Amino acid sequence: VSLTRGLRDLDVLEMSRARRLAFFLNIYNALLIHAITILGRPRSFVARFRFFQTASYCIGGHLYSLNDIENGVLRGNRAPPYPFASKPFGEPGSGDIRAQAMITGGDPRIHFGLNCGARSCPPIRAYDESNVDQALEAATANFIRDNVKIVSENHVELSRIFLWYASDFGSNVIWWILKHWPLKTEEDMQNYRRIVQWVESGQLRITYSEYDWALNEVTENER
């Protein structure tokens, strides 16, 4: 608690882009854990909506909720991927001073640096301004390896993150995935070649896996 009080006097606008990116990735994950510890895990869509809208820290004299950090700061003030959602900081010119903290340029890899507390989320890791780009690339490659599955010939199953945030990944999500595909092992190379072949032949079929919202450490008997 004493550490979070220190956030009130922190000026994020003085940070470099790399430092601000690392800071907000880390603070999101810290706030998520802190909020679940205090409030408990949300167990329904409505509860999750309220949780991400209300769990917040005061940073530099302004409140930033989980939603504000993810969709406002890290996604460049884009609406969350659920019905009737609005941009956290309003439209341009709305006067919300927090919009000045936005990470410019956008970087879809942030989706693999954030953990929402569910089993299907990427794992939590710490980020540092000196290597945040390399760390995000590694997190992305690891998530792709674990969550992009070749189900059968011409059939690939993706995490629903790629569906919910499709607009962040450009006009063709599969080509974005291939651009960041891990190529460390022979199996990696083989799977990469197979998917490229299916894409180029126009035969690739994409489906999306169910998202497991159960809390990471909760066992099957505790669901």
Side-chain angles (χ1 to χ4, degrees):
V1 176
S2 60
L3 291 176
T4 62
R5 287 174 183 160
L7 295 173
R8 297 175 183 175
D9 301 319
L10 188 66
D11 188 351
V12 296
L13 301 183
E14 291 186 348
M15 297 179 179
S16 66
R17 184 185 187 280
R19 185 177 183 186
R20 196 184 309 168
L21 176 58
F23 169 79
F24 276 107
L25 287 168
N26 292 331
I27 210 69
Y28 178 98
N29 291 330
L31 172 57
L32 185 283
I33 295 172
H34 191 178
I36 287 179
T37 302
I38 300 299
L39 304 174
R41 68 186 180 102
R43 296 176 180 272
S44 68
F45 172 81
V46 173
R48 282 196 297 272
F49 173 82
R50 291 173 179 167
F51 179 86
F52 285 96
Q53 291 282 347
T54 57
S56 57
Y57 281 152
C58 182
I59 304 173
H62 305 282
L63 283 179
Y64 289 82
S65 68
L66 289 165
N67 175 57
D68 295 331
I69 295 172
E70 178 183 6
N71 298 297
V73 175
L74 295 173
R75 294 185 65 224
N77 197 31
R78 295 189 176 190
Y82 41 78
F84 310 111
S86 57
K87 297 177 181 179
F89 303 152
E91 295 300 326
S94 64
D96 194 326
I97 195 171
R98 298 173 302 168
Q100 297 179 34
M102 290 189 305
I103 304 298
T104 58
D107 190 339
R109 298 177 303 172
I110 63 101
H111 294 297
F112 313 112
L114 302 177
N115 183 286
C116 66
R119 287 181 176 174
S120 289
C121 287
I124 290 178
R125 63 182 71 203
Y127 292 89
D128 183 85
E129 63 178 309
S130 65
N131 66 350
V132 65
D133 183 71
Q134 297 92 321
L136 274 178
E137 189 62 29
T140 299
N142 288 336
F143 187 85
I144 288 172
R145 178 182 285 115
D146 294 338
N147 295 275
V148 176
K149 301 175 182 178
I150 295 178
V151 179
S152 59
E153 194 71 13
N154 302 320
H155 181 191
V156 173
E157 185 179 76
L158 307 181
S159 163
R160 286 187 178 266
I161 288 176
F162 293 109
L163 175 63
W164 294 329
Y165 299 97
S167 63
D168 291 10
F169 297 102
S171 58
N172 191 315
V173 67
I174 200 67
W175 280 118
W176 190 96
I177 290 171
L178 289 169
K179 180 181 177 182
H180 299 274
W181 193 271
L183 297 172
K184 290 186 177 181
T185 68
E186 182 60 31
E187 183 179 8
D188 290 339
M189 292 292 296
Q190 290 176 354
N191 288 337
Y192 175 85
R193 294 191 193 101
R194 292 174 71 188
I195 295 176
V196 168
Q197 181 181 3
W198 298 337
V199 172
E200 291 180 339
S201 67
Q203 297 178 333
L204 179 66
R205 177 184 170 225
I206 297 175
T207 57
Y208 296 91
S209 59
E210 290 299 317
Y211 210 78
D212 189 346
W213 286 103
L215 196 62
N216 287 333
E217 67 269 24
V218 176
T219 66
E220 288 293 325
N221 292 332
E222 293 173 314
R223 289 194 185 188

